[in-house]
Amino acid sequence: MDQARSTISKIFNGEPHSYTRFNLTQNMEGDNSQVEMKLSSDMDEEVGVNGVGDHLSHNSHRKPYMAEKLGRTPKNLCLVAATVLLIFIIGYLIGYMVHRKKESSPVCAASFLPSEPIVAHETGAAPLMNWDDVKILLTKKFTAATLETALSDFSKVDHRAGSPGDEALGNKVLQRFKEYGLKTWTDEHFVKVQDPPASGFNRVVYKNQSEERSKGFLSYSDNGSVTGAVLYAHYGQESEFRVLKDKNINMNGRVMLVRAGKISFAEKVANAAQMNASAVLIYPESSIGDDTDLYGHVHMGSGDPYTPGFPSFNHTQFPPVQSSGLPKILAQTITKGAAMKILKELEGQSLSETWNVYHKLGDEKDTVTVEVNNVLTEKKVHNVFGVIKGFVDSDRYVVIGAQRDAWGPGFAASTVGTSVLVELARSISGMVENDGFKPRRSIVFASWSAGEYGSVGATEWLEGYLSSLGTKAFSYINLDGIVTGRNGFKVAASPLMHSLIENVLKEVKDKDGSLYKQFVKSSWESDVLEPMKLENAAYPFLAFTGIPSVSFRFTASNSDYPYFGTMLDTREKLNTATSGQVPQLAEKAGRFAGHIVLRLVHDHLLQMDLKKYDNILRTQVAKINRKVNLLQAMQPQLFPEALTVRWLIMAHGSYSRASSSLAADILNSDLEDIEMCRIINDRIMTVERNFLSPYISPRDSPFRHILLGSGSHTLKALSNHLDALKLKQPEADADLFRNQFALATWTIQGCANSLAGDIWSLDNEI
């Protein structure tokens, strides 16, 4: 190119002293692109410091060099014709070479100055495949037929975490990733879990009757033996314990009998412990057989509770420490048959109208003995990974994962998700290798172990690589339990992803129409969205690490899948729940997940909706403001120094302005400017992470997200604390509230500061 330019210059000017340089830049705050045009040699003197327009106008008075030197003789006319022909040939060759280069290497569209066909720079970006073509490719490659084979290949009766069956499945996943051309690796952890006692069962004895020997158990329960009066507490939710308290029922030392469902086992036990109960018995609520054993865990958290906040790597020396989420009371499951025997004999008060039950709640004479002797053991577990590297920002990645282990067959719990994970890896790698799809960012496929003990494998990975994952992983898609029915569809996700999810619901279609058409009757947010629960494997990604996450499932329209945590979670039971449509539903679930993944690695900018959090903050701040004003009017003595919500309101205003500013930057951005896109995407990625309170220890309160986490640092806890102050409850503390209030305010302001970008763009009015 330089030689050709030199030749042309010599023909026209006799020397190669002129060149044109274009410098197109745009700062991260969204200023309009500035174009600099610089001419060397004698033309520099004429242009001076003026802009492009001045340069174009100053150029017009010069007499063409060739016109000065060439007369209009036949000889000179022939020379001109030959010159024009030579220029044409050289131009053709240059165009051909540029075209070949564009085809052979992924580049962004060239930048031009109007009317000047001169390439300014090549950015090295991947050529953008039409999104409709991407969707068509995925639909062709990801089918129910291939899923049927995968479902058979990854079905296993015994694959409890750390067992030979779990390891064999992990090796099979690893081998598939290698066959599909993914770069693979494994992650090894030594974790502590509780298994059943050597006898194989714990003991429950009601009124000196024959003992109940259940093979089911709850990992991480406290050990020991207690005797207390049974008290029925429905699902064990906080609101239900308040109902019992309002009935003036003594709950000290009672053994709570609760149904499975509504909330996690861990939350049931934690709620009972707050009422000073001595033990909790949990039984399955649905008609799954009187003798069906139930398995689970009661750690109010995720990961290995004996290494809270840090990873369980081998030979790492840690002081003896336990998670604050470990219960201090006994917890055990019993069969439905055993529970019915107890319920029929209970005396005491009744709540038949409130809870729609037709038995008594229990009297002081309805005693039961609970004995738990679980064994704490260390297990080696493996996480398996494969990655498809991006072509532009390969160090930025979306993670899609599925639990591999289960208490028993775990067909709905883990087999379907693992099969979809592996088939998506095959399909997308084929799109890259054979069809020319070039993702801008990387895709990490993860197969987790020890999911049944509380997302242990996934959480240990997060803890081990927290500093890098927090800045480089921009989303997590969870594939656990994605098919449990066929008449409903539910999604739990970070608010940042809501708009993307709505669009994907409209894009994924089958013969019955789009998912949006099938499952949205009035509003998609009310019909499809649900809160992300503590036991959801995506929850630690969102609330512990600050990575925008999504979890979803096909479900029955009127009930939950009853076989999780039992030995009945088989292909046959899931076929019954889905009318034999398991492969077809798994295909739709996989395409839903695949569309989210591909959209996040296809587009120049991440599809994250910043305004969703703005609306949530506005609602929460307004609620706190109303409660503070009411409390100060009713009890002015609580805060000798007037408490003002002004700073919290201003912090929300800072976030609102910063998010609007970033939205404007996105609208004004040059999508072909790779560095600009990267800067904007990095600013988007900080939003979720900066809602994690920096003032809370991960050991004491791992889920530090002030909007979606759990603990005293959340805005929800602030609102509840105001209620406690209003009611003069003993646990209420005005000074503690002031401290929590200030820290929450600064967390929001810090998020706004990070979102604003440069230090000179910060709103520092606070």
Side-chain angles (χ1 to χ4, degrees):
M1 293 274 300
D2 290 338
Q3 291 179 349
R5 187 184 293 111
S6 177
T7 302
I8 296 173
S9 180
K10 287 180 180 179
I11 292 174
F12 281 95
N13 304 322
E15 55 182 7
H17 67 282
S18 293
Y19 67 93
T20 306
R21 184 184 71 189
F22 299 99
N23 181 22
L24 282 74
T25 61
Q26 182 175 356
N27 67 35
M28 66 181 294
E29 294 304 312
D31 295 343
N32 292 331
S33 296
Q34 297 177 343
V35 181
E36 176 189 0
M37 186 171 184
K38 182 177 180 181
L39 304 177
S40 70
S41 189
D42 57 306
M43 297 185 73
D44 284 342
E45 299 175 1
E46 293 190 62
V47 174
V49 296
N50 293 320
V52 175
D54 289 338
H55 156 68
L56 293 175
S57 62
H58 289 171
N59 236 1
S60 61
H61 74 274
R62 290 201 58 174
K63 188 173 181 179
Y65 183 83
M66 289 297 293
E68 294 176 353
K69 300 295 183 181
L70 297 178
R72 294 189 176 181
T73 64
K75 179 179 180 180
N76 288 342
L77 290 175
C78 290
L79 179 59
V80 171
T83 301
V84 171
L85 180 60
L86 179 60
I87 293 171
F88 175 82
I89 294 173
I90 293 174
Y92 177 85
L93 291 174
I94 292 173
Y96 177 77
M97 291 170 62
V98 170
H99 180 70
R100 284 293 303 273
K101 186 172 184 179
K102 284 182 178 179
E103 288 185 337
S104 62
S105 64
V107 297
C108 271
S111 299
F112 301 104
L113 190 68
S115 76
E116 292 289 338
I118 301 175
V119 177
H121 63 281
E122 293 178 352
T123 61
L128 199 63
M129 178 179 285
N130 185 278
W131 174 241
D132 289 335
D133 294 336
V134 176
K135 293 188 294 183
I136 292 171
L137 282 175
L138 180 65
T139 302
K140 288 181 178 178
K141 293 181 178 295
F142 191 85
T143 65
T146 56
L147 273 170
E148 183 63 69
T149 303
L151 290 169
S152 299
D153 291 344
F154 291 100
S155 295
K156 203 170 186 65
V157 174
D158 180 17
H159 49 116
R160 191 172 293 187
S163 69
D166 175 38
E167 187 173 352
L169 272 182
N171 289 333
K172 184 178 287 187
V173 172
L174 182 65
Q175 185 59 38
R176 292 292 177 88
F177 285 169
K178 289 180 178 179
E179 290 175 5
Y180 303 150
L182 277 66
K183 176 179 174 55
T184 61
W185 74 99
T186 61
D187 193 50
E188 184 178 88
H189 294 277
F190 292 81
V191 300
K192 290 182 179 179
V193 300
Q194 274 189 357
D195 280 340
S199 63
F201 55 86
N202 292 312
R203 297 175 59 249
V204 176
V205 181
Y206 177 65
K207 284 186 176 180
N208 297 320
Q209 299 177 4
S210 60
E211 67 180 19
E212 167 78 11
R213 295 185 173 185
S214 174
K215 293 182 180 179
F217 76 105
L218 293 171
S219 190
Y220 304 125
S221 165
D222 197 13
N223 280 341
S225 178
V226 300
T227 299
V230 176
L231 179 62
Y232 177 75
H234 208 35
Y235 289 100
Q237 301 177 97
E238 286 186 7
S239 59
E240 290 161 340
F241 280 112
R242 284 197 296 269
V243 170
L244 295 175
K245 190 174 182 180
D246 292 341
K247 287 278 187 178
N248 295 318
I249 296 176
N250 178 26
M251 289 181 272
N252 286 326
R254 302 291 289 267
V255 176
M256 301 297 178
L257 179 60
V258 300
R259 295 182 174 191
K262 302 291 186 182
I263 58 176
S264 68
F265 293 164
E267 290 170 295
K268 296 175 190 292
V269 175
N271 292 339
Q274 288 182 342
M275 300 294 113
N276 295 319
S278 61
V280 179
L281 296 176
I282 303 176
Y283 69 95
E285 65 162 330
S286 50
S287 56
I288 61 174
D290 288 347
D291 299 323
T292 301
D293 293 312
L294 195 59
Y295 300 80
H297 78 90
V298 289
H299 175 213
M300 190 69 168
S302 64
D304 182 351
Y306 296 94
T307 59
F310 40 85
S312 300
F313 289 129
N314 196 22
H315 307 307
T316 305
Q317 300 300 311
F318 296 118
V321 63
Q322 295 183 6
S323 166
S324 59
L326 283 175
K328 300 296 190 293
I329 64 175
L330 306 188
Q332 174 61 32
T333 59
I334 59 175
T335 63
K336 182 182 178 184
M340 291 300 105
K341 291 178 183 178
I342 296 174
L343 290 171
K344 288 177 182 178
E345 297 188 22
L346 292 181
E347 299 294 334
Q349 299 186 43
S350 174
L351 282 173
S352 57
E353 294 182 359
T354 305
W355 291 344
N356 193 28
V357 293
Y358 302 99
H359 53 73
K360 302 293 180 65
L361 299 179
D363 192 75
E364 296 286 350
K365 297 178 292 185
D366 299 321
T367 59
V368 64
T369 298
V370 181
E371 183 179 318
V372 177
N373 296 298
N374 294 341
V375 178
L376 186 65
T377 182
E378 185 176 81
K379 292 188 177 184
K380 181 173 69 173
V381 297
H382 295 89
N383 298 322
V384 177
F385 302 92
V387 63
I388 296 174
K389 290 189 176 181
F391 286 75
V392 180
D393 292 327
S394 61
D395 62 336
R396 301 292 190 265
Y397 39 86
V398 57
V399 183
I400 180 169
Q403 165 186 322
R404 190 177 65 247
D405 66 296
W407 296 116
F411 194 82
S414 63
T415 303
V416 174
T418 298
S419 301
V420 169
L421 176 76
V422 172
E423 280 302 295
L424 278 174
R426 178 192 61 80
S427 302
I428 297 175
S429 64
M431 293 167 59
V432 174
E433 184 175 349
N434 303 318
D435 301 298
F437 174 61
K438 292 181 170 59
R440 301 179 66 83
R441 292 165 280 276
S442 299
I443 307 171
V444 174
F445 299 86
S447 174
W448 313 114
S449 184
E452 295 284 33
Y453 289 94
S455 304
V456 171
T459 303
E460 295 307 308
W461 183 66
L462 290 174
E463 291 175 342
Y465 307 99
L466 184 61
S467 58
S468 58
L469 290 173
T471 58
K472 296 183 178 181
F474 55 82
S475 189
Y476 177 69
I477 291 91
N478 178 37
L479 296 177
D480 294 346
I482 54 177
V483 177
T484 60
R486 60 187 297 265
N487 296 322
F489 189 77
K490 294 294 181 181
V491 178
S494 161
L496 289 175
M497 302 182 71
H498 285 182
S499 295
L500 171 60
I501 291 167
E502 182 180 9
N503 292 334
V504 172
L505 285 171
K506 296 175 181 178
E507 289 180 337
V508 177
K509 302 176 181 179
D510 62 7
K511 58 182 178 61
D512 297 320
S514 67
L515 292 179
Y516 193 94
K517 178 182 177 182
Q518 294 177 52
F519 298 108
V520 176
K521 306 306 178 185
S522 55
S523 162
W524 86 273
E525 292 183 340
S526 60
D527 294 338
V528 174
L529 278 182
E530 63 179 2
M532 188 173 290
K533 298 180 180 179
L534 176 68
E535 67 268 27
N536 194 312
Y539 190 75
F541 284 84
L542 177 61
F544 172 68
T545 317
I547 298 173
S549 305
V550 58
S551 186
F552 64 95
R553 60 199 170 99
F554 284 94
T555 183
S557 56
N558 55 359
S559 64
D560 291 331
Y561 185 70
Y563 304 108
F564 284 135
T566 74
M567 297 297 166
L568 299 179
D569 184 10
T570 62
R571 173 69 183 265
E572 291 71 28
K573 294 296 185 183
L574 191 57
N575 276 339
T576 301
T578 61
S579 302
Q581 297 295 305
V582 174
Q584 291 75 20
L585 290 167
E587 178 191 358
K588 287 197 285 188
R591 286 173 55 203
F592 179 81
H595 275 231
I596 294 175
V597 169
L598 292 173
R599 192 93 226 196
L600 288 171
V601 300
H602 168 272
D603 293 355
H604 293 78
L605 297 177
L606 298 175
Q607 281 200 25
M608 300 287 179
D609 189 351
L610 304 175
K611 282 297 180 182
K612 289 291 183 179
Y613 269 132
D614 186 19
N615 296 334
I616 293 173
L617 278 173
R618 181 178 292 106
T619 301
Q620 294 278 4
V621 170
K623 181 187 296 184
I624 291 173
N625 186 39
R626 287 194 300 271
K627 290 185 177 183
V628 167
N629 292 335
L630 180 62
L631 187 61
Q632 287 183 323
M634 295 175 60
Q635 303 179 48
Q637 74 281 1
L638 270 180
F639 304 107
E641 297 179 9
L643 176 67
T644 175
V645 190
R646 176 190 174 196
W647 306 116
L648 180 63
I649 294 172
M650 291 175 64
H652 165 248
S654 296
Y655 175 86
S656 182
R657 287 186 292 276
S659 62
S660 297
S661 175
L662 179 54
D665 289 350
I666 292 172
L667 289 175
N668 296 326
S669 62
D670 176 9
L671 295 183
E672 301 302 338
D673 187 334
I674 291 181
E675 185 61 25
M676 175 57 58
C677 290
R678 185 179 176 91
I679 290 172
I680 290 176
N681 285 332
D682 284 351
R683 287 170 65 189
I684 294 173
M685 288 167 59
T686 66
V687 175
E688 201 82 74
R689 185 171 69 250
N690 285 311
F691 277 126
L692 304 180
S693 174
Y695 310 106
I696 301 297
S697 166
R699 170 188 165 185
D700 299 329
S701 187
F703 304 124
R704 295 176 295 144
H705 202 294
I706 65 169
L707 295 173
L708 305 176
S710 61
S712 60
H713 58 282
T714 64
L715 294 190
K716 179 181 178 181
L718 282 180
S719 181
N720 292 340
H721 202 157
L722 286 169
D723 293 336
L725 288 169
K726 177 183 176 183
L727 299 174
K728 300 181 180 180
Q729 295 177 351
E731 66 271 17
D733 186 329
D735 291 334
L736 177 60
F737 174 81
R738 277 185 175 276
N739 182 64
Q740 295 169 337
F741 186 78
L743 297 182
T745 299
W746 276 108
T747 301
I748 296 171
Q749 184 63 43
C751 184
N753 291 345
S754 177
L755 187 59
D758 290 322
I759 192 70
W760 52 83
S761 300
L762 303 186
D763 183 349
N764 60 359
E765 190 172 350
I766 289 183

